[in-house]
Amino acid sequence: MRHPFRAGAVVVVLTAALAACGSSTEGRGGAGPAATRAPLAAPSAGPGTTAADGPSAPRTSEPPKLPSDELTPATGSFSKKQKEYLVDRVPRGMDPAAVLQTGQETCDRLRFLVKADRDVAVGAIVTGEIADAKPAVEHLCTRHRDLLREADRGYADGTYRNEQIRPGHYRDVSPTGSCAWRIAGADGSTLVSGSAPGERVSITVPRQARVFTSTGCYAWLPEGDLG
């Protein structure tokens, strides 16, 4: 189960941030005219989860990508990192500068979210609220690599089983009034359960855990080293 950022706080932060920063980010170089900002993607169910059963959507072939030797802006030039970001990401017929602008705006969102609430910034990566954060961070705003490392160990709302579960201590991010969780063992019996109506809390996922279900809590981030 997903929900928008609590009370629209992050949406407000992103809107204000983008209005304030325009198109600034590190490592831009000549990138051509600014493209329209891509909407945030719907969050994933979390690491290792699978989609609900149902009829498969018809497959569509992806358009061929622009070869790396043709990744040039209309004016100026791309930096090495910018070009690395664009490799295999620009459909033929699309302006590479427009694709680069999307990655640069992802870095802008992360930068301003970190200033407002670092946990929320990491949670936005965990849930997929900020789409394609990994390639943008790895090439365009490497200062945020620590956010990726933490997000890789987090959980979005959803159900996780067996090897998807990592024992350890976690804190929730931006819970709603209906935030609840349940951790069960191999026999299905409840090991830990609880709720946190709108308040941030910490939980411990024991080594015996075989099912971890979270709803209305948005995301869980690791506290310290995980066992």
Side-chain angles (χ1 to χ4, degrees), residues 86-205:
L86 292 171
V87 171
D88 293 328
R89 300 184 64 83
V90 183
R92 183 174 290 279
M94 179 176 287
D95 181 4
V99 177
L100 177 62
Q101 182 69 17
T102 299
Q104 292 171 333
E105 289 176 348
T106 294
C107 290
D108 286 340
R109 296 170 206 164
L110 286 173
R111 179 162 57 91
F112 279 87
L113 277 179
V114 166
K115 290 182 179 179
D117 189 324
R118 186 182 182 282
D119 278 0
V120 170
V122 179
I125 299 174
V126 173
T127 62
E129 291 282 352
I130 293 184
D132 293 328
K134 185 173 182 178
V137 169
E138 288 181 341
H139 299 293
L140 304 178
C141 46
T142 56
R143 69 178 67 175
H144 295 316
R145 282 177 176 169
D146 60 321
L147 303 182
L148 291 182
R149 288 192 294 269
E150 188 170 348
D152 283 343
R153 302 187 299 165
Y155 293 98
D157 277 338
T159 297
Y160 304 86
R161 302 178 185 278
N162 300 319
E163 68 276 2
Q164 297 172 338
I165 299 173
R166 296 174 295 276
H169 304 290
Y170 296 84
R171 62 187 181 279
D172 65 357
V173 178
S174 192
T176 67
S178 59
C179 172
W181 62 90
R182 177 178 180 270
I183 301 172
D187 60 356
S189 62
T190 299
L191 300 176
V192 182
S193 65
S195 61
E199 298 178 0
R200 291 190 178 186
V201 298
S202 296
I203 64 171
T204 297
V205 177

Side-chain angles (χ1 to χ4, degrees), residues 47-75:
T49 55
T50 56
D53 294 335
S56 300
R59 292 188 176 184
T60 57
S61 58
E62 293 186 0
K65 298 296 190 297
L66 200 65
S68 59
D69 59 354
E70 295 182 27
L71 294 174
T72 56
T75 59

Side-chain angles (χ1 to χ4, degrees), residues 2-94:
R2 71 174 292 262
H3 64 81
F5 292 109
R6 184 182 178 190
V10 176
V11 174
V12 172
V13 171
L14 287 176
T15 302
L18 290 175
C21 72
S23 60
S24 63
T25 190
E26 62 180 89
R28 293 223 163 170
T36 302
R37 180 169 67 88
L40 297 180
S44 65
T49 55
T50 56
D53 294 335
S56 300
R59 292 188 176 184
T60 57
S61 58
E62 293 186 0
K65 298 296 190 297
L66 200 65
S68 59
D69 59 354
E70 295 182 27
L71 294 174
T72 56
T75 59
S77 60
F78 293 130
S79 69
K80 179 180 178 181
K81 289 295 185 181
Q82 289 172 337
K83 194 165 185 178
E84 288 175 352
Y85 171 78
L86 292 171
V87 171
D88 293 328
R89 300 184 64 83
V90 183
R92 183 174 290 279
M94 179 176 287

